[in-house]
Amino acid sequence: MTSFNRGLSGIFLKFEFLSKLGYSHLIDQNIYIFGHLIDQNGENMVQLDDYLIKLTADLPRRFEYARGFRRRFVFEELQGKVNSFMREGRCATVLLPGLRGTGKTTLLAQLYFYTHSMTSEVIYLPVDELKLLGFTLIEAVERYLEIFRPERPVLLLDEVQYDEKWPLTLKVLNDRKQFLIIATGSSALNLKESPDLARRAEHIHVHPLTFREYIYLSEDVLGKGNLKPLLDFDVESIERSMAESAPYLWKAEEYLRTGSLPFSFDRKEPEVYETVFTLIERMIYRDLPQVKGFDSQTLEKALKLLFLLANPKGERFSYERLSKILGMAKGTVISIINALIKAGILVEIPSIGGMTKKVKKGPKLKFLAPVLRAALLYKSGELEKGLSALLEDAVAFYFSKIGKLEYEPGKGGADFVLTVDGRKYVVEVGLGKDRATQVRRSMERVSADRGIVIGEKFYANDDILSIPWRAFLGMI
């Protein structure tokens, strides 16, 4: 990258932060961020002490927007960490990796208000903003401790991956046994984590929304569900779940299209897709370089690759065909796909069988959140063809949270093979078709215990259960 391009990149970064902070403004060709002056050369003209004092005073106003939001289901687990620290002094370091747009900053905002109701010894530090201002995370934490002298502070650290030494910083802070640290970061967070920190930190992934959480956040109805009744073929419990979710299942297609990330509420559908596409671009151009040092041309082709994979027929493309279409080496295509998986954009589902077969066939690739695929299909004018693919993304998301997920390669092979607690299930997903016969054949080939059809009908026998796809979504 030339010095001119680096300069442009820096300018765009500054303006993105100006947009992110609603009260930032431009004066006399110098940039003011959070009330702090950065000159035209990008040099910081503010003292860290002044910044931290003003930040602490302004946090209630900064986070006012979060007061009116319902809390994500994961908040209860994080609230428990705060309670254990406040009541029993249980120090901990908790990492919250997650896809962009899953609401991690809002979670920290809500945790800030919850913690502040019990103690004033809580600070939120936006590490991306610290980097822009020229401060390191450890500098900011140390100055906060010196200025405010808290005895047992709660540190809420946002986007820690922006500090190059964040793993060492968190390890050092953790070893002092003085803090509760809750830190968010991109899905690639674990890749930069040191073994020392990995042994010390607890990881709580912030996933996309399930259908029930989507309905809860938007309507304040339904609550957590689970897939155990489905796996146990517990017809009575499944019927209760279906009856509970039935009034809201008309929103199932809306959920698949736009509802798997929490910022979609009260937005028109095209606006959601445009916002998600911007997120995808940020993940490509910001997060992927953290995973692997791709050049700008390769990153552009990574975006083209995502468009190819988003097409309902895209997962049928071999690495060789993708290589030919993109005009790049097969090894580079594989490297990009691996980076997209590690960055949390794609989900890798390996083929069932031995290692030779897995290498030969390659993985099936699904999008972590259906709305990611929907946004790409919208941009390419193919959204109306994509409902089945969006449903498969959701099925893969649901099942990958509870067990080992594979697929059966070859014509007529099972969409998914799920293994949970030693029991193997063949899973077929289809709109308008009864796949029971196909499931039976796959069960025999892969020696599965049971089969599940996610389609249009509801019935169950000894070893095959069929559930309407909307009702399946409504289980969790």
Side-chain angles (χ1 to χ4, degrees):
M1 182 182 289
T2 67
S3 59
F4 175 74
N5 286 334
R6 280 195 297 269
L8 281 180
S9 176
I11 291 171
F12 290 140
L13 180 62
K14 294 182 181 74
F15 275 96
E16 181 179 331
F17 274 93
L18 290 173
S19 175
K20 178 180 177 182
L21 304 171
Y23 37 82
S24 302
H25 51 283
L26 192 66
I27 299 178
D28 296 333
Q29 297 183 322
N30 293 315
I31 295 176
Y32 282 79
I33 295 182
F34 207 59
H36 300 297
L37 186 62
I38 293 178
D39 69 16
Q40 297 173 65
N41 297 317
E43 296 298 326
N44 184 20
M45 299 173 63
V46 66
Q47 296 298 314
L48 179 56
D49 290 14
D50 296 337
Y51 169 76
L52 290 172
I53 292 169
K54 185 167 177 58
L55 173 68
T56 304
D58 284 353
L59 282 177
R61 183 177 65 173
R62 171 184 279 213
F63 287 150
E64 183 62 30
Y65 76 93
R67 289 184 186 273
F69 290 165
R70 297 185 184 95
R71 296 165 174 175
R72 290 207 54 181
F73 291 161
V74 73
F75 182 87
E76 184 178 348
E77 187 173 0
L78 298 173
Q79 179 179 287
K81 300 296 180 186
V82 173
N83 291 341
S84 294
F85 179 70
M86 297 303 301
R87 296 169 185 170
E88 303 164 28
R90 291 186 183 176
C91 300
T93 296
V94 182
L95 297 181
L96 304 180
L99 194 68
R100 287 180 183 269
T102 47
K104 299 185 295 296
T105 299
T106 299
L107 272 172
L108 291 189
Q110 293 169 330
L111 279 171
Y112 168 80
F113 285 124
Y114 178 76
T115 307
H116 200 267
S117 69
M118 295 181 281
T119 177
S120 62
E121 295 184 347
V122 54
I123 183 66
Y124 165 88
L125 293 174
V127 183
D128 51 356
E129 196 172 301
L130 289 174
K131 181 177 180 179
L132 181 62
L133 292 170
F135 305 128
T136 66
L137 176 57
I138 191 63
E139 287 174 340
V141 172
E142 294 291 10
R143 288 306 299 155
Y144 164 72
L145 297 176
E146 290 180 22
I147 295 169
F148 295 93
R149 299 190 178 278
E151 293 183 6
R152 293 192 309 130
V154 176
L155 307 180
L156 305 176
L157 311 178
D158 203 7
E159 301 280 14
V160 293
Q161 76 276 1
Y162 278 92
D163 189 292
E164 293 180 359
K165 295 183 178 180
W166 72 265
L168 179 59
T169 298
L170 294 194
K171 175 192 174 297
V172 168
L173 295 174
N174 178 86
D175 289 350
R176 293 184 190 178
K177 304 298 182 185
Q178 181 187 358
F179 316 106
L180 172 63
I181 303 168
I182 300 178
T184 75
S186 69
S187 293
L189 202 64
N190 295 347
L191 303 176
K192 301 292 185 180
E193 188 178 2
S194 68
D196 284 341
L197 180 59
R199 288 192 297 269
R200 291 164 168 81
E202 181 178 351
H203 299 72
I204 300 176
H205 287 263
V206 183
H207 295 290
L209 302 181
T210 63
F211 177 76
R212 274 180 170 259
E213 190 169 18
Y214 172 66
I215 295 299
Y216 168 73
L217 292 176
S218 59
E219 307 286 340
D220 198 18
V221 291
L222 298 182
K224 290 182 181 179
N226 67 82
L227 294 175
K228 190 175 186 301
L230 183 70
L231 301 179
D232 291 344
F233 282 31
D234 183 347
V235 172
E236 184 177 339
S237 294
I238 293 172
E239 287 177 336
R240 281 200 299 269
S241 172
M242 291 172 63
E244 182 184 24
S245 61
Y248 314 102
L249 294 183
W250 63 275
K251 297 188 110 177
E253 187 170 337
E254 175 184 285
Y255 162 74
L256 290 178
R257 286 174 177 258
T258 63
S260 49
L261 292 178
F263 57 75
S264 62
F265 306 122
D266 300 322
R267 294 193 185 196
K268 294 182 179 179
E269 195 169 335
E271 184 184 355
V272 173
Y273 297 139
E274 293 294 344
T275 302
V276 172
F277 185 71
T278 299
L279 281 178
I280 292 172
E281 289 184 309
R282 288 179 182 174
M283 287 186 276
I284 292 291
Y285 293 107
R286 297 267 183 86
D287 296 345
L288 244 57
Q290 295 180 40
V291 178
K292 194 172 179 65
F294 296 122
D295 60 28
S296 58
Q297 185 177 11
T298 304
L299 292 175
E300 288 177 8
K301 291 195 174 181
L303 186 57
K304 293 179 181 178
L305 174 60
L306 278 181
F307 274 105
L308 291 172
L309 295 175
N311 186 291
K313 298 179 180 179
E315 68 180 30
R316 302 177 191 174
F317 293 165
S318 65
Y319 287 140
E320 288 78 8
R321 186 173 179 190
L322 290 171
S323 171
K324 187 175 181 180
I325 293 173
L326 294 169
M328 59 198 315
K330 175 182 172 182
T332 305
V333 172
I334 294 174
S335 292
I336 293 173
I337 288 175
N338 287 338
L340 292 168
I341 293 167
K342 291 173 181 176
I345 301 172
L346 298 178
V347 175
E348 176 185 31
I349 302 169
S351 61
I352 193 169
M355 185 58 65
T356 301
K357 182 179 290 188
K358 291 178 187 290
V359 172
K360 183 177 179 182
K361 293 296 181 181
K364 177 182 283 191
L365 299 169
K366 298 298 177 184
F367 285 80
L368 178 63
V371 70
L372 298 177
R373 186 193 296 267
L376 292 164
L377 290 174
Y378 171 80
K379 296 293 283 188
S380 60
E382 298 179 310
L383 181 59
E384 297 306 316
K385 305 174 185 177
L387 183 61
S388 293
L390 298 178
L391 177 58
E392 285 203 24
D393 287 335
V395 172
F397 165 49
Y398 276 30
F399 281 140
S400 63
K401 294 172 64 176
I402 63 170
K404 178 183 178 183
L405 199 60
E406 301 170 294
Y407 80 100
E408 184 188 12
K411 187 175 181 181
D415 288 334
F416 303 106
V417 178
L418 173 68
T419 304
V420 181
D421 296 331
R423 180 175 284 177
K424 189 178 290 184
Y425 302 81
V426 162
V427 180
E428 277 293 325
V429 183
L431 300 177
K433 294 182 180 180
D434 188 341
R435 305 284 185 96
T437 302
Q438 187 172 337
V439 165
R440 178 78 62 190
R441 292 171 183 163
S442 292
M443 288 172 62
E444 294 173 358
R445 287 194 298 269
V446 304
S447 301
D449 301 284
R450 289 178 169 178
I452 298 173
V453 179
I454 300 171
E456 299 290 349
K457 301 178 181 178
F458 179 56
Y459 61 83
N461 55 41
D462 290 340
D463 58 358
I464 294 180
L465 182 146
S466 176
I467 185 170
W469 67 269
R470 293 178 179 86
F472 168 78
L473 292 177
M475 293 196 71
I476 64 172

